[in-house]
Amino acid sequence: MASIDDLFKKPYAPSDKRKLEISQDPSAVHKITKFSSDSDVKSNGKASVQDEDEDDDIEAGPSLPPEEPQDSIGDEEGRFFGGGITTDTADALNYIDEVDNGDNSKPEKIDASWLRKVALSFERRISKNSELRAKFENDPQKFMGSEADLDADVKALSILSDHPELYGEFAKLGCVASLVSLLAHENTDIAIDAIEIINELTDQDVEAEQQQWDLLVDAMLDADLLNLLYGNVLRLDEANESDRPGLYHIIGVLENLSSRTAVAESISSNTSFIPWLLKRIQQKEPVVSQNKQYSAEILAILVQASSANRTLLFDLNGIDTLLQLLSSYRKRDPAKGTEEEEYVENLFDILTCCLDDPKGQAQFLVAEGIELCLIMLRDGKMSKPRALRLLDHALGGPEGGACCQKLVEAAGLKPIFSAFMKKHDNQSTEHLLGILSSMLRSLPGNSTERIRLLAKFVEKDYEKINKVMQTRREYASKVAAVDQDIQYEKPRLSAEEQEDRADEWLSRRMDAGLYALQTADVVLAWLVAEDAGAKKRIQGLLAERDESLEVVKATLQEQLKSMDVTAEDNDAMFQDMLATLIEHLQ
């Protein structure tokens, strides 16, 4: 006798949302089975009959008649050995079939009336299955049929993702709560199918208006969706192939819900998902799986979405855990185009986000993150530009001084300046300039570390200052070209239109390298203020193009003017620093 679990075990197919691996041709498998009005249910279950093997050397029965012209359909061996249907008859039957099929294949209208019928049927399926399970608890054969019907009705709800205008009515009818309640169903296959449907309905790719999406998600949250999802995390076993996609879709639902900050925060405050995700990304696997990679990705999304989530990660000693995981890649690279490569990228993203928080910087320092980044700069390949990004964030901000000192103490000046003197892409150049700017800002005056930093700029006939000036010229030229285009566009626009396009123009200037230009000028301003010899060299280099310190001053003034003094995350110390540097450029 088949068990209840065997009845529902099946190969899984993914939603279109992500890249869940399947063993079949994706073009032949819909992400979730949908009811179709033109499906041929009669063909299901048919078996072909094949002749048994016989001895080819033995002939039996009368010999076949001589071949004659084929005048009938399907009669390849002669009139009485085929179907016996003439061409005219076959054409007539085909016409009748086409008419019949046309009458029966009219698509059903998907509207509120249809939804009410579906909702009523869905609720009845749930009630019937619940009653039969309670009545025949020890006899699965008695409720297997209702279980199969319920499973089919759950899958049929997939069609709602094509009709988000019905989300509000779907919630109003109480079906959302009923769907969510199935996450607690005794049959894990039904629970997994319900999770997959929820993942599909809340997918950001669904063309739903924000209000429609909010109505659906609010109803799900009111039905205790988050706790039920976490309950399934605890009961599903990834070692079981049929349970594995369930965990994948749970993570997918979390990704969908995290687009709303309040929900992202409640994920950490009301459940234990972040501890579970942190534990999941540490599990050792021969090959990094999709679920491990996806766990790292959603953890990155959650810590970016909420400071409360970052605080929880700090409390779990997450910075040290992440550094230990990344230490495996200090000298080796993951294979390109693999889940492992994306997994490593996500680990770097999590750390980078955490380093914008002073508590994250402190833990990074204690866990020897500076030292690990310097090893990556020296020996890494894929990890090298990502290590530069980590250092840029670790040394930045008003609390980055301790990390700046540690970098100098750990003999980090040589690899940093060695990297700076080489050719890099725009992002790496920005990070290197950011590191230099942060050290000039944060290292204490007259400290050994600061003196060593300034010595690097003046050694070898000021070659580092020459490099900073060369970088400034490159980005100044690019930004000037964009500024010229913007000035050409402005006279053709009204004041209101110019205001509307202000953000677009700023974006174009940033893409041209405005941030790199501003950071390079901050570095030059610091050197002018710190060292007379450096000031003379900078003035000489500017004079080569009939420029003076005024161009550096203008860049800093624009940067200071653009800073929002009322912003909550505004760095008041940075504003004071800019104002002081501007005074030294007089």
Side-chain angles (χ1 to χ4, degrees):
M1 179 184 298
S3 69
I4 185 65
D5 291 329
D6 291 338
L7 181 66
F8 291 91
K9 301 302 180 188
K10 58 191 180 304
Y12 60 89
S15 67
D16 289 339
K17 175 175 177 293
R18 287 185 54 81
K19 51 191 179 303
L20 189 61
E21 295 177 356
I22 55 177
S23 57
Q24 307 174 50
D25 180 4
S27 65
V29 183
H30 195 283
K31 53 188 171 183
I32 297 178
T33 306
K34 296 186 179 182
F35 286 138
S36 174
S37 57
D38 60 353
S39 60
D40 186 3
V41 298
K42 293 182 180 179
S43 64
N44 294 336
K46 282 190 176 182
S48 62
V49 179
Q50 298 181 352
D51 293 335
E52 298 180 356
D53 294 337
E54 296 181 355
D55 190 346
D56 294 338
D57 295 333
I58 301 177
E59 295 185 2
S63 60
L64 297 178
E67 294 184 0
E68 296 181 4
Q70 302 296 319
D71 61 350
S72 59
I73 302 301
D75 190 9
E76 297 179 356
E77 297 180 346
R79 177 171 177 77
F80 296 105
F81 290 84
I85 302 176
T86 64
T87 303
D88 291 341
T89 303
D91 290 342
L93 291 173
N94 288 337
Y95 174 76
I96 294 173
D97 288 341
E98 290 174 3
V99 172
D100 289 342
N101 290 336
D103 292 339
N104 295 329
S105 61
K106 293 180 180 178
E108 187 173 9
K109 185 177 181 181
I110 309 299
D111 55 12
S113 176
W114 169 87
L115 181 59
R116 285 190 287 271
K117 294 177 185 177
V118 170
L120 181 60
S121 173
F122 183 52
E123 297 292 346
R124 285 175 176 172
R125 298 288 195 200
I126 295 176
S127 298
K128 181 179 179 181
N129 177 246
S130 180
E131 292 172 3
L132 291 177
R133 266 190 167 271
K135 187 175 181 180
F136 303 105
E137 182 178 359
N138 298 321
D139 191 0
Q141 287 288 350
K142 297 291 181 64
F143 57 77
M144 274 187 176
S146 68
E147 212 109 303
D149 292 339
L150 175 58
D151 192 55
D153 274 16
V154 170
K155 293 177 180 179
L157 295 175
S158 171
I159 198 172
L160 284 175
S161 63
D162 296 328
H163 300 276
E165 69 277 3
L166 297 176
Y167 279 5
E169 184 69 16
F170 187 53
K172 184 179 178 182
L173 291 171
C175 286
V176 172
S178 298
L179 176 62
V180 172
S181 71
L182 290 179
L183 271 62
H185 198 281
E186 293 88 342
N187 187 335
T188 56
D189 293 293
I190 288 179
I192 289 172
D193 284 340
I195 293 167
E196 187 170 2
I197 289 294
I198 292 171
N199 186 21
E200 185 175 343
L201 296 181
T202 58
D203 195 327
Q204 295 301 306
D205 291 338
V206 173
E207 296 180 358
E209 297 177 2
Q210 188 62 44
Q211 183 181 10
Q212 296 167 345
W213 190 87
D214 287 342
L215 286 171
L216 178 70
V217 170
D218 287 342
M220 289 179 174
L221 294 174
D222 290 341
D224 203 22
L225 172 63
L226 292 178
N227 282 315
L228 288 171
L229 284 172
Y230 186 69
N232 278 277
V233 163
L234 298 179
R235 73 165 171 164
L236 295 178
D237 181 9
E238 272 194 277
N240 188 334
E241 186 175 354
S242 62
D243 283 359
R244 206 171 299 143
L247 288 167
Y248 183 90
H249 293 303
I250 288 173
I251 301 172
V253 174
L254 294 179
E255 180 182 6
N256 298 339
L257 299 181
S258 296
S259 61
R260 192 195 292 180
T261 302
V263 180
E265 291 182 348
S266 66
I267 288 174
S268 64
S269 60
N270 298 330
T271 68
S272 298
F273 269 114
I274 287 184
W276 177 80
L277 289 168
L278 187 61
K279 182 179 179 181
R280 180 63 188 86
I281 64 175
Q282 297 178 66
Q283 290 183 13
K284 295 186 180 299
E285 298 176 344
V287 178
V288 174
S289 65
Q290 284 187 308
N291 282 355
K292 184 174 182 178
Q293 179 275 316
Y294 204 3
S295 296
E297 181 177 337
I298 189 59
L299 186 56
I301 291 172
L302 289 174
V303 297
Q304 290 175 32
S306 164
S307 60
N309 292 344
R310 292 193 292 274
T311 299
L312 178 56
L313 188 64
F314 299 150
D315 293 341
L316 295 169
N317 201 26
I319 299 297
D320 184 64
T321 299
L322 292 165
L323 287 172
Q324 289 185 39
L325 293 174
L326 282 174
S327 66
S328 301
Y329 302 95
R330 62 188 183 277
K331 295 184 179 181
R332 76 172 183 89
D333 292 343
K336 290 186 178 181
T338 62
E339 300 289 348
E340 185 178 16
E341 182 182 37
E342 196 168 347
Y343 164 75
V344 174
E345 288 275 13
N346 291 323
L347 295 181
F348 275 109
D349 288 343
I350 298 169
L351 264 180
T352 301
C353 180
C354 291
L355 290 177
D356 290 332
D357 188 296
K359 191 171 182 180
Q361 290 174 314
Q363 289 194 3
F364 184 77
L365 181 64
V366 172
E368 300 183 350
I370 299 293
E371 291 86 342
L372 177 61
C373 287
L374 292 176
I375 292 174
M376 290 178 174
L377 280 181
R378 185 180 68 243
D379 301 326
K381 292 182 181 178
M382 171 197 172
S383 61
K384 185 173 295 186
R386 291 154 186 83
L388 283 175
R389 183 177 62 165
L390 288 180
L391 289 174
D392 186 13
H393 286 260
L395 274 58
E399 306 298 328
C403 289
C404 290
Q405 287 184 276
K406 173 58 71 174
L407 186 142
V408 179
E409 293 171 2
L413 290 179
K414 182 177 180 179
I416 290 295
F417 276 99
S418 176
F420 178 65
M421 297 301 291
K422 297 176 182 177
K423 184 71 175 177
H424 295 282
D425 58 29
N426 290 345
Q427 284 191 345
S428 294
T429 300
E430 289 178 358
H431 293 318
L432 284 163
L433 288 170
I435 291 169
L436 298 178
S437 174
S438 294
M439 287 194 291
L440 287 167
R441 169 189 177 179
S442 299
L443 289 175
N446 297 322
S447 66
T448 302
E449 292 81 11
R450 189 173 192 85
I451 294 172
R452 290 174 61 184
L453 173 65
L454 294 174
K456 278 289 183 182
F457 278 104
V458 301
E459 70 179 8
K460 296 183 180 180
D461 194 26
Y462 301 101
E463 68 171 4
K464 312 299 188 307
I465 292 179
N466 295 343
K467 177 65 175 180
V468 175
M469 184 60 69
Q470 178 187 344
T471 303
R472 184 201 186 279
R473 288 171 177 171
E474 291 176 2
Y475 286 103
S477 175
K478 294 177 182 178
V479 173
V482 174
D483 287 342
Q484 185 176 359
D485 292 340
I486 293 173
Q487 292 303 319
Y488 178 78
E489 297 170 7
K490 278 186 175 181
R492 295 168 170 76
L493 302 174
S494 65
E496 183 178 354
E497 289 173 330
Q498 289 184 25
E499 185 177 353
D500 291 340
R501 295 192 62 181
D503 289 341
E504 177 198 337
W505 287 336
L506 177 59
S507 177
R508 286 164 58 184
R509 299 184 75 212
M510 294 299 289
D511 290 342
L514 178 62
Y515 175 78
L517 172 62
Q518 291 175 339
T519 310
D521 279 351
V522 168
V523 172
L524 292 173
W526 269 114
L527 295 173
V528 168
E530 291 274 353
D531 185 85
K535 179 179 180 180
K536 184 177 180 180
R537 171 54 66 97
I538 292 170
Q539 288 176 320
L541 292 171
L542 289 170
E544 291 177 359
R545 297 194 176 189
D546 296 326
E547 296 174 335
S548 67
L549 292 176
E550 286 298 316
V551 295
V552 178
K553 179 181 175 181
T555 303
L556 269 58
Q557 287 175 328
E558 179 190 10
Q559 187 176 3
L560 181 61
K561 183 179 179 181
S562 66
M563 295 183 71
D564 185 357
V565 295
T566 63
E568 293 182 3
D569 59 349
N570 179 55
D571 187 348
M573 292 178 61
F574 186 72
Q575 288 182 315
D576 292 341
M577 180 199 76
L578 287 178
T580 303
L581 291 176
I582 289 171
E583 292 178 1
H584 282 84
L585 295 172
Q586 299 294 346

